[in-house]
Amino acid sequence: MINVAIDGPAGAGKSTIAKAAAKKLGFIYIDTGALYRTVGVNALRRGVNMESNEEIAATLTDTLNVELKFIDSQQRMFLNGEDVSEEIRTPEASMAASRVSAVPAVRAYLFDLQRNIAKENNCLMDGRDIGTVVLPDAQVKIFLTASAEVRAKRRYNELTQKGIQCGYDDVLSDMIKRDYDDSHRAIAPLKPAEDSVTVDTSNFTLEQSVEAVIKTIEDKINV
């Protein structure tokens, strides 16, 4: 199986770009961030203290069921049987995902699920620590990034198009905070794998970004 690990900060376009690249390559696309967002939404719904690792870990009960399904070739996330694919894209879910991803019990809970999918499929998997922790033996590792301002603008446009009220300055502030939290956490911090290729999409259109990722993958696979 060919595994492609794509890591990078929030708002870098990993999901959109990886999804498009996977479709063109005939691979499946796995958005691991959606898994953490789903666990985060579960914690928010339960009203736990998001600063408490113990309370967050306590949400990982035998009754918790996080499922990743492909419906009409689209990845959908289910929480205890409910499709939460739209809810997990809110700013609150994004911050919750960053928080729960720093909890060792959460990472352990999702670790085997991610690896098992990669063992059985040619896939592009994106997240924060795919190339460094989840798939350290992936044939291709890409660190996808862009400036904080560009990423915030993209996220702001995405949210407003969905009818979610927000301000650009608030989105940028959240983006900068998440960058700091993700890169400074004690467990599996966000950082490029030593053998990764950095792709900066700050000045790229979506189409150019997808082509840059595909070229990087093809160059690596054909070596």
Side-chain angles (χ1 to χ4, degrees):
M1 294 300 169
I2 298 174
N3 293 161
V4 179
I6 300 182
D7 294 306
K14 296 187 302 296
S15 299
T16 303
I17 295 168
K19 188 185 302 180
K23 184 176 182 179
K24 289 191 175 185
L25 292 168
F27 289 12
I28 67 167
Y29 162 65
I30 308 299
D31 174 9
T32 63
L35 298 172
Y36 287 99
R37 285 170 178 265
T38 303
V39 173
V41 164
N42 180 61
L44 290 173
R45 287 183 173 185
R46 294 187 57 173
V48 305
N49 177 4
M50 296 299 284
E51 297 305 314
S52 170
N53 284 10
E54 291 75 16
E55 288 194 31
I56 292 173
T59 67
L60 306 174
T61 64
D62 291 339
T63 59
L64 175 63
N65 185 22
V66 174
E67 295 178 282
L68 183 158
K69 298 181 180 180
F70 290 93
I71 300 175
D72 295 329
S73 300
Q74 296 295 315
Q75 177 179 302
R76 307 291 295 182
M77 292 306 307
F78 288 79
L79 173 60
N80 298 330
E82 177 189 350
D83 189 336
V84 293
S85 303
E86 302 305 324
E87 184 177 351
I88 64 173
R89 296 303 169 186
T90 64
E92 293 79 12
S94 178
M95 295 305 292
S98 181
R99 181 66 193 92
V100 303
S101 67
V103 179
V106 174
R107 304 198 75 83
Y109 176 80
L110 296 174
F111 186 78
D112 288 340
L113 174 60
Q114 296 172 79
R115 279 203 164 176
N116 288 338
I117 294 173
K119 286 179 182 178
E120 300 170 358
N121 300 276
N122 291 331
C123 71
L124 271 73
M125 184 179 292
D126 75 23
R128 299 290 188 281
D129 64 345
I130 308 305
T132 54
V133 177
V134 180
L135 300 178
D137 297 324
Q139 293 92 329
V140 186
K141 300 176 185 178
I142 296 172
F143 191 79
L144 192 69
T145 190
S147 71
E149 292 76 15
V150 168
R151 290 184 285 121
K153 183 63 175 177
R154 291 172 180 170
R155 181 59 57 83
Y156 170 77
N157 290 338
E158 176 187 347
L159 293 172
T160 54
Q161 286 172 6
K162 292 180 178 180
I164 298 174
Q165 297 297 316
C166 60
Y168 167 77
D169 289 342
D170 292 333
V171 175
L172 177 59
S173 178
D174 286 347
M175 192 77 67
I176 292 172
K177 182 180 186 303
R178 180 155 190 193
D179 285 351
Y180 182 87
D181 290 346
D182 287 350
S183 60
H184 287 78
R185 67 191 180 203
I187 180 173
L190 169 66
K191 63 179 180 179
E194 291 185 1
D195 52 348
S196 67
V197 176
T198 296
V199 176
D200 189 323
T201 67
S202 296
N203 298 313
F204 288 176
T205 63
L206 174 58
E207 183 175 317
Q208 289 171 329
S209 299
V210 173
E211 290 305 318
V213 165
I214 290 176
K215 184 178 187 305
T216 300
I217 294 170
E218 291 178 337
D219 287 349
K220 283 286 186 178
I221 291 175
N222 292 333
V223 169

